[in-house]
Amino acid sequence: MNLLTEYIDSVIEGRHPRSDVQVIHDIETGERVSITDLARMVVDKSELLKSGLSGRSARPVLIKLDKRLDYVVNFLSVIYAGFVAVPVADEWNELVADAIMERLNPVALLVDSNVEYLDGIAESVFVFMEDENVVLHSSGTTNTPKSIIHSVDSMIGNANAMSERLSITDKDRHLVVLPLNHAHALGFGLLSSLMNGASVYLGQFSTPARWASMVREFGITVTSLVPPMVSLINQSKAGLTLEGDNILDLRFVLISSAALPASDARKFLASTGVPIVHGWGQSELSNFVTCTGVIADLDRVTKSSLLSVGAPITGCSVDVEGKESSPGEIKVSSLYAAKRIVTDKGEISISDYHNTGDLGFTDGPDLFVQGRNDDIIIKGSLKYSPLFLEEHISDQVDSIKQVVVFSDKDGSPDQPVYVYVVPLSSQSDDAKKIQMGVRKAMARYFIPNRIIVGDEERIPMTHTGKLQRNKMTSILRDQL
């Protein structure tokens, strides 16, 4: 029996202390159910799944879901029934889906959109994977599809460690706007709330104004965002000052999935008055490894234009190759690590200390992430973090909406470096001024081979807002 099954049983049997007040509320549809009703729905649905699937060969069950509450019910039901759930990511394609079917034989695919190509998947024999309940699909910033196989207990353990760090209680109302197929929303958004008695509000981040109105209307105390959402809020002219009586309930906003630039953190705090929490982790390690706690003083947790991602949470430890305050590859040990990882080249084992591929440094207990090791720019004998250069340009040049620094990995010791800038205005004279400003700002370090002013649609991002820097060269080849 896993921790989620024990939780559902405790609600059904009346042993859960907050079952009378804890709720799941789908803001978009207006549906609202108590935790007691949710548990009954889960048990009923799980019985249907077991009667329809046990003891026979079957192709994977495709559960197409239009409503986020249905997604939650079906996800919990699959786990409660003892089966394996695979939340399907929007960026899947037919090749990825076929590969996952062949390697893992999952029993249930949870889809929150109409993904037609999955209908044609060949029949597959269901294989029960002991202590393996959830398969997360991730490509993140590496563009290498991975199937990350977790036990639900590892995900709940990580969620509980985050709840401990951030003092999530049964008095909290947690707004979840990130996709439910992502480890962040499933782990911290859903499971941490369920296990700690908090109520869950399922919404959509369509605009900054809509996000702010949901926070106000439902008295939200905790919510999570990714950096691109923070950037949209910072750029909004809709009067999103959330200070004062309208927003007293909101304790903090958790920001993760990618590193938040310190300048964006300052703008967000200035425009909203809402404290932030900064977290970092990888899906292989069940979402979170480090977390800051509520940041009261941004200057104290900022070094070299980078915002700290905090100290390790309970059950995790971090080791950086090299001396303190010197950049090196980040290695992580976690009690919540995946059982195994499967790629198109076979299985990847997770050692005691997992090599993350991220570069960073420590300052006391705090970790600072500089970006992917593969993204580091080499000019002569010096190495530069793209995140640091982007933050420097943003600080020095006005009228910039977004900036991406990337290089052509040609193996030379003096790599060609490019700067792609999205301006706040599309006026041609502004573009010329921006190019001159970027060149002046970068002269302190080196002069980029080309400065391109364009629109944000050409910047490749994952569905959770992670920049796929390694795709920039191929996408912009015609302009380099």
Side-chain angles (χ1 to χ4, degrees):
M1 180 180 290
N2 58 55
L3 293 174
L4 186 60
T5 300
E6 291 178 5
Y7 167 80
I8 296 296
D9 286 345
S10 73
V11 174
I12 291 292
E13 296 167 7
R15 294 183 284 108
H16 183 60
R18 296 288 288 177
S19 58
D20 57 332
V21 295
Q22 191 179 12
V23 299
I24 304 283
H25 188 131
D26 190 331
I27 293 174
E28 303 306 315
T29 65
E31 292 180 88
R32 178 186 177 97
V33 298
S34 68
I35 292 300
T36 301
D37 288 340
L38 176 73
R40 290 173 180 146
M41 294 163 68
V42 166
V43 171
D44 291 345
K45 182 71 176 181
S46 68
E47 290 301 320
L48 290 174
L49 284 170
K50 286 190 287 188
S51 63
L53 293 172
S54 296
R56 66 181 179 90
S57 298
R59 54 176 294 188
V61 176
L62 181 65
I63 305 174
K64 291 184 178 180
L65 307 163
D66 296 323
K67 295 182 285 191
R68 285 162 68 83
L69 181 57
D70 287 347
Y71 200 104
V72 170
V73 171
N74 280 277
F75 173 78
L76 298 177
S77 299
V78 170
I79 305 302
Y80 189 80
F83 296 146
V84 181
V86 185
V88 176
D90 292 340
E91 71 267 27
W92 275 29
N93 56 42
E94 192 166 358
L95 291 176
V96 171
D98 284 343
I100 287 177
M101 295 307 101
E102 180 180 350
R103 293 192 301 258
L104 301 175
N105 293 312
V107 70
L109 299 173
L110 306 179
V111 186
D112 62 359
S113 59
N114 190 24
V115 187
E116 294 295 343
Y117 61 78
L118 289 172
D119 287 335
I121 293 172
E123 288 199 358
S124 174
V125 177
F126 163 58
V127 178
F128 178 72
M129 297 185 285
E130 187 175 0
D131 295 329
E132 297 178 354
N133 313 105
V134 183
V135 179
L136 300 174
H137 173 74
S138 173
S139 56
T141 54
T142 65
N143 198 33
T144 303
K146 295 173 288 186
S147 299
I148 301 161
I149 305 163
H150 278 286
S151 71
V152 72
D153 283 357
S154 71
M155 294 190 68
I156 289 175
N158 189 259
N160 284 339
M162 282 294 290
S163 296
E164 176 187 10
R165 174 65 55 90
L166 300 176
S167 302
I168 303 298
T169 72
D170 55 15
K171 293 179 174 59
D172 278 308
R173 294 178 294 279
H174 193 153
L175 174 62
V176 180
V177 296
L178 297 174
L180 285 167
N181 55 42
H182 190 260
H184 185 142
L186 276 180
F188 180 70
L190 178 64
L191 295 178
S192 66
S193 299
L194 288 180
M195 304 305 293
N196 290 277
S199 291
V200 179
Y201 291 76
L202 305 170
Q204 301 281 357
F205 186 96
S206 52
T207 65
R210 175 59 177 153
W211 171 78
S213 70
M214 289 187 292
V215 170
R216 291 190 183 102
E217 181 179 352
F218 297 100
I220 299 302
T221 62
V222 176
T223 190
S224 308
L225 299 172
V226 293
M229 294 175 177
V230 175
S231 181
L232 286 173
I233 292 170
N234 288 342
Q235 296 159 20
S236 174
K237 305 299 182 183
L240 292 182
T241 300
L242 303 182
E243 295 177 292
D245 294 339
N246 287 333
I247 201 96
L248 284 178
D249 291 332
L250 188 55
R251 298 199 290 123
F252 63 82
V253 173
L254 171 65
I255 301 168
S256 69
S257 186
L260 178 71
S263 58
D264 278 355
R266 288 192 176 90
K267 290 175 185 176
F268 181 81
L269 185 60
S271 65
T272 67
V274 178
I276 66 170
V277 169
H278 200 202
W280 171 83
Q282 292 187 328
S283 299
E284 293 91 325
L285 305 163
S286 199
N287 203 9
F288 285 96
V289 173
T290 65
C291 187
T292 59
V294 178
I295 297 175
D297 182 358
L298 285 174
D299 290 334
R300 189 191 67 78
V301 294
T302 301
K303 278 191 173 294
S304 301
S305 299
L306 296 174
L307 185 65
S308 169
V309 294
I313 61 175
T314 301
C316 296
S317 59
V318 171
D319 181 47
V320 177
E321 294 180 340
K323 298 179 181 179
E324 186 173 357
S325 298
S326 299
E329 183 173 4
I330 302 170
K331 295 185 176 182
V332 169
S333 178
S334 171
L335 294 178
Y336 321 114
K339 308 286 285 187
R340 55 196 177 109
I341 303 170
V342 182
T343 72
D344 57 354
K345 297 179 181 178
E347 289 202 17
I348 299 174
S349 62
I350 296 184
S351 59
D352 289 341
Y353 267 90
H354 175 69
N355 295 317
T356 64
D358 282 347
L359 195 69
F361 61 90
T362 57
D363 182 51
D366 291 329
L367 176 68
F368 295 81
V369 180
Q370 294 183 306
R372 298 294 298 172
N373 200 13
D374 292 343
D375 291 336
I376 294 300
I377 292 168
I378 301 174
K379 295 294 286 185
S381 60
L382 299 177
K383 295 181 179 181
Y384 297 92
S385 161
L387 290 176
F388 171 78
L389 295 174
E390 289 160 3
E391 184 76 354
H392 174 68
I393 292 170
S394 296
D395 283 343
Q396 298 296 314
V397 184
D398 294 330
S399 303
I400 285 181
K401 185 176 183 180
Q402 190 172 0
V403 57
V404 179
V405 178
F406 62 101
S407 63
D408 194 344
K409 301 292 183 180
D410 60 0
S412 70
D414 194 30
Q415 301 166 352
V417 179
Y418 311 102
V419 179
Y420 187 85
V421 183
V422 180
L424 286 174
S425 168
S426 60
Q427 299 297 319
S428 59
D429 58 335
D430 287 343
K432 293 175 183 177
K433 290 178 182 177
I434 287 173
Q435 287 175 320
M436 292 176 60
V438 171
R439 189 172 287 107
K440 182 179 178 180
M442 288 291 290
R444 179 177 177 180
Y445 305 104
F446 57 84
I447 301 299
N449 295 70
R450 181 153 299 182
I451 301 166
I452 304 161
V453 178
D455 56 57
E456 57 191 322
E457 282 70 26
R458 300 202 75 183
I459 299 177
M461 309 286 280
T462 68
H463 70 294
T464 53
K466 287 184 181 178
L467 169 66
Q468 294 180 305
R469 198 183 302 272
N470 59 358
K471 287 185 175 182
M472 290 292 293
T473 302
S474 59
I475 290 174
L476 298 171
R477 181 65 68 186
D478 59 329
Q479 295 179 263
L480 302 181

Coordinates of all heavy atoms in Angstrom, one line a residue, residues 141-142 146 280-282 284-285 319 321 328-332 353-360 369-376:
T141 N 15.3 21.2 -21.0 CA 16.2 22.0 -21.8 C 17.1 21.2 -22.7 O 17.8 21.8 -23.6 CB 17.1 22.9 -20.9 OG1 17.8 22.1 -20.0 CG2 16.2 23.9 -20.1
T142 N 17.1 19.9 -22.6 CA 18.1 19.1 -23.3 C 17.6 18.6 -24.7 O 18.4 18.2 -25.5 CB 18.5 17.9 -22.5 OG1 17.4 17.0 -22.4 CG2 19.0 18.3 -21.1
K146 N 12.9 11.7 -22.3 CA 13.1 10.7 -21.3 C 11.8 10.3 -20.6 O 10.9 11.1 -20.4 CB 14.1 11.3 -20.2 CG 15.4 11.7 -20.7 CD 16.2 12.4 -19.6 CE 15.7 13.8 -19.4 NZ 16.5 14.7 -18.5
W280 N 14.4 24.9 -7.1 CA 15.1 24.2 -8.2 C 15.1 22.7 -8.0 O 15.1 22.2 -6.9 CB 16.5 24.7 -8.3 CG 17.4 24.0 -9.2 CD1 17.5 24.2 -10.6 CD2 18.3 22.9 -9.0 NE1 18.4 23.4 -11.2 CE2 18.9 22.6 -10.2 CE3 18.7 22.3 -7.8 CZ2 19.9 21.5 -10.3 CZ3 19.6 21.2 -7.9 CH2 20.2 20.9 -9.1
G281 N 15.1 22.0 -9.1 CA 15.2 20.6 -9.1 C 15.1 20.0 -10.5 O 15.1 20.7 -11.5
Q282 N 15.0 18.7 -10.6 CA 14.8 18.0 -11.9 C 13.8 16.9 -11.7 O 13.7 16.3 -10.6 CB 16.2 17.4 -12.3 CG 17.2 18.5 -12.7 CD 18.5 17.8 -13.3 OE1 18.9 16.7 -13.0 NE2 19.1 18.6 -14.2
E284 N 13.9 14.0 -12.7 CA 14.5 12.7 -12.3 C 14.6 12.6 -10.7 O 14.7 11.5 -10.2 CB 16.0 12.6 -12.8 CG 16.0 12.5 -14.3 CD 16.1 13.8 -15.0 OE1 15.5 14.8 -14.5 OE2 16.8 13.9 -16.0
L285 N 14.6 13.8 -10.1 CA 14.8 13.8 -8.6 C 13.5 14.2 -7.9 O 13.5 14.7 -6.8 CB 15.9 14.8 -8.3 CG 17.2 14.4 -9.0 CD1 18.2 15.6 -9.0 CD2 17.8 13.2 -8.4
D319 N 26.1 18.6 -4.0 CA 27.6 18.7 -4.1 C 28.0 19.4 -5.4 O 27.4 19.0 -6.5 CB 28.2 17.3 -4.0 CG 29.7 17.4 -4.0 OD1 30.3 18.2 -3.3 OD2 30.3 16.6 -4.8
E321 N 31.1 20.4 -7.9 CA 32.5 20.1 -8.2 C 33.3 21.4 -8.2 O 33.0 22.3 -8.8 CB 32.7 19.4 -9.5 CG 32.1 18.0 -9.6 CD 32.2 17.4 -11.0 OE1 32.5 18.1 -11.9 OE2 32.1 16.2 -11.1
G328 N 30.9 24.9 -10.8 CA 31.2 23.5 -11.1 C 29.9 22.8 -11.4 O 28.8 23.4 -11.2
E329 N 30.0 21.5 -11.9 CA 28.7 20.8 -12.2 C 28.0 20.4 -10.8 O 28.7 20.0 -9.9 CB 29.0 19.5 -12.9 CG 27.7 18.8 -13.3 CD 27.9 17.6 -14.2 OE1 29.1 17.3 -14.6 OE2 26.9 17.0 -14.6
I330 N 26.7 20.6 -10.8 CA 25.9 20.3 -9.6 C 25.6 18.8 -9.6 O 25.1 18.3 -10.6 CB 24.6 21.2 -9.6 CG1 25.0 22.7 -9.7 CG2 23.8 20.8 -8.4 CD1 23.8 23.5 -9.9
K331 N 25.9 18.2 -8.5 CA 25.5 16.8 -8.3 C 24.5 16.8 -7.1 O 24.6 17.5 -6.1 CB 26.7 15.9 -8.0 CG 27.7 15.8 -9.1 CD 28.8 14.9 -8.8 CE 29.8 14.7 -10.0 NZ 30.8 13.7 -9.7
V332 N 23.6 15.9 -7.2 CA 22.5 15.8 -6.2 C 22.3 14.4 -5.7 O 22.3 13.4 -6.5 CB 21.2 16.4 -6.8 CG1 20.0 16.1 -5.9 CG2 21.3 17.8 -7.1
Y353 N 25.0 9.9 -6.2 CA 25.0 11.3 -6.6 C 24.7 11.5 -8.1 O 25.5 11.0 -8.9 CB 26.3 12.0 -6.2 CG 26.3 12.7 -4.8 CD1 26.6 12.0 -3.7 CD2 25.8 14.0 -4.7 CE1 26.6 12.5 -2.4 CE2 25.7 14.6 -3.4 CZ 26.1 13.8 -2.3 OH 26.0 14.4 -1.0
H354 N 23.6 12.1 -8.4 CA 23.2 12.2 -9.8 C 23.8 13.4 -10.4 O 23.7 14.5 -9.9 CB 21.7 12.3 -9.8 CG 21.1 12.5 -11.2 ND1 21.1 11.6 -12.1 CD2 20.5 13.6 -11.7 CE1 20.6 12.0 -13.2 NE2 20.2 13.3 -13.0
N355 N 24.5 13.2 -11.6 CA 25.0 14.4 -12.3 C 23.9 15.1 -13.0 O 23.2 14.5 -13.9 CB 26.1 13.9 -13.3 CG 27.3 13.3 -12.7 OD1 27.8 13.8 -11.7 ND2 27.8 12.2 -13.2
T356 N 23.6 16.3 -12.7 CA 22.5 17.0 -13.2 C 22.7 17.7 -14.6 O 21.8 18.0 -15.3 CB 22.1 18.2 -12.2 OG1 23.1 19.1 -12.2 CG2 21.8 17.6 -10.9
G357 N 24.0 17.9 -14.9 CA 24.3 18.6 -16.2 C 24.1 20.1 -16.0 O 24.3 20.9 -17.0
D358 N 23.8 20.6 -14.8 CA 23.7 22.0 -14.5 C 24.9 22.5 -13.9 O 25.6 21.8 -13.1 CB 22.5 22.3 -13.6 CG 21.1 22.3 -14.3 OD1 21.1 22.3 -15.5 OD2 20.1 22.3 -13.6
L359 N 25.3 23.8 -14.2 CA 26.5 24.4 -13.6 C 26.1 25.4 -12.6 O 25.1 26.1 -12.7 CB 27.2 25.1 -14.7 CG 28.7 25.5 -14.4 CD1 29.6 24.3 -14.3 CD2 29.2 26.5 -15.5
G360 N 26.8 25.5 -11.4 CA 26.4 26.4 -10.4 C 27.5 26.5 -9.3 O 28.6 26.0 -9.5
V369 N 22.4 28.6 -9.5 CA 22.4 27.8 -10.7 C 22.7 28.8 -11.9 O 22.0 29.8 -12.1 CB 21.1 27.1 -11.0 CG1 21.2 26.3 -12.3 CG2 20.8 26.2 -9.8
Q370 N 23.8 28.5 -12.7 CA 24.2 29.3 -13.8 C 23.6 28.9 -15.1 O 23.7 29.6 -16.1 CB 25.7 29.4 -13.9 CG 26.4 30.1 -12.7 CD 27.9 30.2 -12.8 OE1 28.5 29.1 -13.1 NE2 28.4 31.3 -12.7
G371 N 23.1 27.7 -15.2 CA 22.5 27.1 -16.4 C 23.1 25.8 -16.7 O 23.8 25.2 -15.9
R372 N 22.7 25.3 -17.9 CA 23.2 24.0 -18.4 C 24.7 24.1 -18.7 O 25.2 25.0 -19.3 CB 22.5 23.6 -19.6 CG 21.0 23.4 -19.5 CD 20.6 22.2 -18.5 NE 21.1 20.9 -19.0 CZ 21.1 19.8 -18.3 NH1 20.6 19.8 -17.1 NH2 21.5 18.7 -18.8
N373 N 25.4 23.0 -18.3 CA 26.9 23.0 -18.5 C 27.1 23.1 -20.0 O 28.1 23.7 -20.5 CB 27.4 21.7 -18.0 CG 28.9 21.7 -17.8 OD1 29.5 22.8 -17.8 ND2 29.5 20.6 -17.6
D374 N 26.3 22.4 -20.8 CA 26.4 22.4 -22.3 C 26.2 23.8 -22.9 O 26.6 24.0 -24.1 CB 25.5 21.4 -22.9 CG 25.8 20.0 -22.6 OD1 27.0 19.8 -22.2 OD2 25.0 19.1 -22.8
D375 N 25.5 24.7 -22.2 CA 25.2 26.0 -22.7 C 26.4 27.0 -22.4 O 26.3 28.2 -23.0 CB 23.9 26.6 -22.1 CG 22.7 25.8 -22.6 OD1 22.8 25.2 -23.6 OD2 21.7 25.8 -21.8
I376 N 27.3 26.7 -21.6 CA 28.4 27.6 -21.2 C 29.1 28.1 -22.4 O 29.5 27.2 -23.3 CB 29.3 27.0 -20.2 CG1 28.6 26.8 -18.9 CG2 30.5 27.9 -19.9 CD1 28.0 28.0 -18.2

